[in-house]
Amino acid sequence: MYYLCQTTNSNVNNDLPSVIKTSLPTVLLLFMLSGRNQSDEGAPTAGRMQQKRNIQIIEWEDLDKRKFYSFGVFMTMTIRATVYPATLIRTRLQVQRGKSLYSGTFDAFFKILRAEGVRGLYRGFMVNTFTLISGQAYITTYELVRKYVSQYSEDNTVKSLVAGGSASLVAQSITVPIDVVSQQLMMQGQGEHLTRFRLNSNTETEKPKKVFGQTRNIMAQIFAADGFRGFYRGYVASLLTYIPNSAVWWPFYHFYAEQLSKLAPSDCPHLILQAMAGPLAAATASTVTNPMDVVRARVQVEGRTSVIETFRQLIKEEGFWGMTKGLSARIISSTPTAIVMVVGYETLKKLSLRPELVDSRHW
């Protein structure tokens, strides 16, 4: 059962940055109006790079795949280690009733640090590292689908939207079981009413004798209670969250980068513009999809079976602003994530270019 509390709009509204609230409709309108202008992607060239766009896009066929995957694993691991604490905080904020444990992102950070130490910010991280597999599946799917869609449309918005959504579908099919276990580990020590499964005392208080001892303990409990289906609890909610998020992020990323390139000096390094575009796209996508992210977190952690019922219950008990829970943590985590991901990914693609194309792109 939920903890019933009436949250005032002024308190919860602090969790939603004013710049996002005021500018999002304008940004969406500008994006829609300028979409056609961005689709003017040039005639065939070496590697079919986008020559008429201010910022050229390195496509799948331009890459040395061996380099791409070797560097990609390291990049993905680095990003996940960097932003994991913010992901943990976001999950705890979304699952708590009202503000029963934490009043906000920074309050949660300092309370966890005091009570559990640095290790507390990385609860469940080891099992989460298996999402490296889904990370590689994501970028492969994204690039291949872009290549496939380009046979039917040269509109970069269409290619980015379809490829982003498809990549998320594949990645979430791998990620959800890992997330289910990881989130249960994240919520340990937060009260029995917030999670269905508790670690046995010998794995929680003593040093595990086996690697992933706590993970195995939680997995065994999930399987005993729900069977194999328990590892895919919240799968539909995850798809409804991350497919739109990914489908929105990529078109807006290219849109913001292109608009910034029109304002910047011609000799400005493209990597700087892309690093600025990443967080803008992430903030836009996070704001649009946060309601489903709140529902997803509660379905997975509390063991609910109905996405619609969870949504109705949240609206009934916490009102519309309950849909913004964890948004500031999500944007805070997505900002460095987007910068690191964009710089890492664009650098990765540059380093992975086929030798004959290395000098063909302004960096």
Side-chain angles (χ1 to χ4, degrees):
M1 297 294 292
Y2 282 101
Y3 171 77
L4 299 177
C5 78
Q6 185 64 36
T7 308
T8 63
N9 286 351
S10 60
N11 288 338
V12 182
N13 203 28
N14 290 334
D15 204 36
L16 183 60
S18 58
V19 65
I20 299 301
K21 293 184 291 182
T22 57
S23 65
L24 182 59
T26 303
V27 168
L28 289 170
L29 180 61
L30 286 171
F31 177 73
M32 292 172 64
L33 292 175
S34 64
R36 297 303 302 173
N37 292 334
Q38 292 192 61
S39 65
D40 185 18
E41 297 176 349
T45 59
R48 295 186 59 188
M49 291 186 182
Q50 319 292 338
Q51 294 292 352
K52 287 189 177 180
R53 295 174 61 85
N54 291 334
I55 296 183
Q56 298 168 343
I57 298 175
I58 299 177
E59 300 288 5
W60 180 251
E61 56 267 31
D62 304 319
L63 301 173
D64 180 327
K65 309 306 186 295
R66 186 168 51 186
K67 290 181 180 179
F68 184 71
Y69 285 115
S70 299
F71 294 140
V73 171
F74 174 77
M75 181 201 74
T76 304
M77 186 65 180
T78 300
I79 292 173
R80 293 191 184 280
T82 302
V83 305
Y84 189 83
T87 302
L88 180 140
I89 291 170
R90 184 191 77 203
T91 299
R92 291 192 179 185
L93 286 172
Q94 291 176 335
V95 173
Q96 71 171 349
R97 274 75 163 178
K99 295 188 177 181
S100 57
L101 294 175
Y102 311 112
S103 61
T105 301
F106 293 104
D107 180 59
F109 175 79
F110 289 115
K111 282 184 177 177
I112 294 170
L113 204 57
R114 283 197 299 268
E116 305 173 51
V118 175
R119 291 182 62 183
L121 294 171
Y122 281 89
R123 275 185 179 270
F125 177 71
M126 290 306 295
V127 65
N128 193 261
T129 58
F130 285 104
T131 54
L132 285 171
I133 300 171
S134 66
Q136 297 304 302
Y138 180 94
I139 59 177
T140 300
T141 303
Y142 176 77
E143 295 293 346
L144 288 176
V145 172
R146 271 188 67 91
K147 180 181 178 181
Y148 177 78
V149 174
S150 66
Q151 299 174 21
Y152 303 94
S153 174
E154 285 300 320
D155 189 321
N156 188 61
T157 299
V158 173
K159 290 192 290 186
S160 298
L161 191 148
V162 175
S166 301
S168 187
L169 173 63
V170 172
Q172 285 305 305
S173 299
I174 302 170
T175 299
V176 168
I178 300 171
D179 273 351
V180 168
V181 176
S182 179
Q183 287 175 339
Q184 291 295 335
L185 291 169
M186 288 179 185
M187 297 306 298
Q188 296 305 307
Q190 301 305 294
E192 295 184 4
H193 62 292
L194 292 181
T195 182
R196 297 171 65 207
F197 307 109
R198 309 296 303 168
L199 287 170
N200 294 340
S201 58
N202 63 327
T203 57
E204 187 173 16
T205 59
E206 299 177 5
K207 231 180 222 184
K209 294 181 181 179
K210 299 179 180 179
V211 177
F212 300 116
Q214 295 183 354
T215 301
R216 293 180 181 182
N217 184 283
I218 290 293
M219 289 178 65
Q221 291 184 55
I222 293 172
F223 187 77
D226 302 322
F228 182 76
R229 290 181 61 187
F231 294 101
Y232 275 90
R233 187 175 294 277
Y235 179 61
V236 173
S238 292
L239 294 182
L240 293 176
T241 300
Y242 292 116
I243 289 180
N245 186 82
S246 181
V248 168
W249 190 93
W250 284 102
F252 270 104
Y253 164 62
H254 292 302
F255 166 74
Y256 286 129
E258 194 68 14
Q259 297 307 309
L260 288 169
S261 71
K262 295 175 182 178
L263 301 174
S266 59
D267 59 346
C268 180
H270 287 175
L271 193 60
I272 293 178
L273 303 178
Q274 291 164 327
M276 294 171 62
L280 292 173
T284 304
S286 294
T287 304
V288 170
T289 62
N290 197 72
M292 275 310 305
D293 196 39
V294 177
V295 173
R296 174 198 61 81
R298 295 202 171 192
V299 167
Q300 290 182 333
V301 174
E302 296 179 355
R304 293 174 171 270
T305 57
S306 173
V307 172
I308 296 175
E309 184 58 35
T310 302
F311 179 83
R312 288 175 178 170
Q313 189 78 6
L314 183 61
I315 292 293
K316 178 182 177 181
E317 295 181 355
E318 303 194 43
F320 171 77
W321 293 109
M323 295 288 97
T324 68
K325 296 187 76 171
L327 180 57
S328 65
R330 194 174 177 199
I331 291 177
I332 289 171
S333 69
S334 70
T335 297
T337 302
I339 294 174
V340 173
M341 188 193 81
V342 166
V343 173
Y345 190 62
E346 295 294 345
T347 302
L348 167 66
K349 292 175 78 174
K350 178 66 176 178
L351 294 174
S352 303
L353 271 175
R354 301 205 317 268
E356 64 271 21
L357 299 176
V358 170
D359 297 325
S360 65
R361 187 174 192 267
H362 169 48
W363 191 241

